[in-house]
Amino acid sequence: MEAELPGPQAPVPPDDQRPDRKGATVADIRRYGQPPGLKDRRNEEHWAGRLYMRDLSPYFAWIALRLGFSPNQLTYLMMLSGILAGVVVSLPASGTAALWTALGGAVLIQVYLLLDCVDGEVARYLKRTSVAGVFLDRIGHYLSEVSLLIGLGFAAQGGWRNGGWAELGLVAALGAALIKAETDNVVVARAKSGLPADPTGGDRALRPRSTGIALARQAASMLRFHRIIGAVELSLLILAAAALDAVLGTDTPAATRVLMVAVAAVAVLQTLLHLVSILASRRLK
C-alpha cells in the first residue's frame, strides 16, 4: 500500500469534509481510505483482503491514526512482521514445539497482511500516497516471501544448520524473488524505453501471442498452483504440515519436507513459465 514522501501535500478539495486524524471515525476511514472498487482489484487485492481483512483493517487504521503513525512507519512494521514470521518458522523445534512455531509464523503473516491494508488506508485518508510508499510496499512483499521460504527450509532441515533442505529453501526463495523481479522489470523496461507503465490493450496485452502458451497460462491460472509460494497461503500450509508432523510423531519433519519439495518445484517452474509468458505477451511491445 502507498505511503508518503516528505513535502507539501495536495490541497483538500472544498467538498472534502473529512475530519483530521484525531477526529476520524471507522466510517470515515471506510469512505476515504477504501475507495470504490478496492476489493475488486483482482490482480492486486489478495483474496484474504477481500474475504475478511478489508472488513477488519479500518478499525486498526483508526487506531493507527489516533496514535499518530505515518503510512511509512506502518509499512516498516509490515516488513518487520513478514521477516519475523520467517525467523519464527525457522526456530529449531520438533513435534508440538514445531507446531507452535508454525502457528506463530502464521499469526505474524496475518499481522503482515493487516498492516499491508492499514498503511494504504492511512495514506489515502491523510492524502499522503506516494511513489516511495509503493516502493516500500513492494520491498516488504519481497522480504516477507523470501524470509518465509528460507524459514521453511530450516524447518525442514530440523534446525539452524547447513544441509540440503536449507539449501532447497534458498532455491525457493530465489525463485519467488525472481518472479516478482520479472513482473516489476516489465515496468522498468517500458519506462526506460519511454513507454507508459501499462501497455495498451488492457488484458489482451497480458495474453501470450502463441495459442499454446496462452492455453498453458490459462490452465496454470485456473489451477492457481503458484499461490503455494505466497506468504499467506504458505504460512497456512506450513502450519498444516507441522500439525501433520505432530500427529505422525516421526523422527524427521516428513510432511514439512514434502511441502518444501513441492514449494521449491513450484517456485522454479513458475519462474520459468512467468518469464516465457512475459516474453510471449505484448507487454514488452
Side-chain angles (χ1 to χ4, degrees):
M1 302 302 168
E2 302 85 357
E4 87 282 12
L5 273 175
Q9 305 300 321
V12 178
D15 58 343
D16 190 338
Q17 300 298 321
R18 72 184 71 184
D20 62 20
R21 65 185 306 151
K22 295 291 186 180
T25 66
V26 171
D28 291 326
I29 294 168
R30 290 190 192 279
R31 179 181 179 186
Y32 298 108
Q34 295 186 345
L38 182 66
K39 291 184 179 182
D40 298 327
R41 302 183 305 177
R42 295 288 174 178
N43 292 332
E44 298 180 36
E45 188 70 11
H46 193 275
W47 61 263
R50 296 192 300 271
L51 185 61
Y52 60 88
M53 197 59 80
R54 284 294 182 186
D55 294 326
L56 296 176
S57 58
Y59 296 96
F60 291 89
W62 177 82
I63 295 172
L65 286 170
R66 286 275 176 168
L67 294 178
F69 281 99
S70 72
N72 279 354
Q73 289 171 341
L74 293 167
T75 305
Y76 288 129
L77 289 176
M78 179 199 78
M79 293 181 187
L80 181 61
S81 298
I83 294 171
L84 285 178
V87 173
V88 170
V89 165
S90 75
L91 292 174
S94 60
T96 305
L99 180 58
W100 284 108
T101 59
L103 178 61
V107 170
L108 283 166
I109 288 297
Q110 290 298 310
V111 174
Y112 151 85
L113 179 61
L114 173 64
L115 290 168
D116 193 25
C117 294
V118 170
D119 64 355
E121 291 170 1
V122 169
R124 283 186 287 271
Y125 189 86
L126 297 176
K127 291 184 171 292
R128 292 166 70 176
T129 58
S130 72
V131 175
V134 175
F135 174 80
L136 288 173
D137 186 71
R138 295 297 299 172
I139 293 298
H141 293 169
Y142 274 71
L143 290 174
S144 62
E145 289 190 9
V146 166
S147 178
L148 196 59
L149 287 163
I150 293 173
L152 174 59
F154 281 114
Q157 188 67 44
W160 288 344
R161 57 180 182 272
N162 293 331
W165 297 105
E167 292 168 0
L168 202 57
L170 290 172
V171 169
L174 176 60
L178 284 174
I179 292 167
K180 290 187 176 298
E182 287 168 357
T183 300
D184 291 343
N185 274 289
V186 170
V187 178
V188 174
R190 291 182 64 85
K192 284 181 174 287
S193 301
L195 298 173
D198 296 322
T200 57
D203 291 340
R204 286 189 58 201
L206 303 180
R207 300 173 192 165
R209 288 165 289 179
S210 167
T211 303
I213 296 177
L215 290 174
R217 180 179 182 271
Q218 185 176 5
S221 179
M222 290 176 61
L223 293 172
R224 301 187 183 280
F225 70 93
H226 60 283
R227 284 189 171 180
I228 194 175
I229 57 177
V232 175
E233 293 85 353
L234 181 58
S235 67
L236 298 176
L237 289 171
I238 292 172
L239 178 58
L244 184 56
D245 282 330
V247 171
L248 295 174
T250 55
D251 294 333
T252 57
T256 300
R257 289 181 173 181
V258 169
L259 176 62
M260 184 70 262
V261 171
V263 166
V266 168
V268 172
L269 182 60
Q270 183 66 11
T271 301
L272 297 174
L273 292 178
H274 192 50
L275 178 62
V276 171
S277 176
I278 290 173
L279 292 174
S281 72
R282 299 173 180 82
R283 281 177 278 188
L284 299 179
K285 300 295 181 181

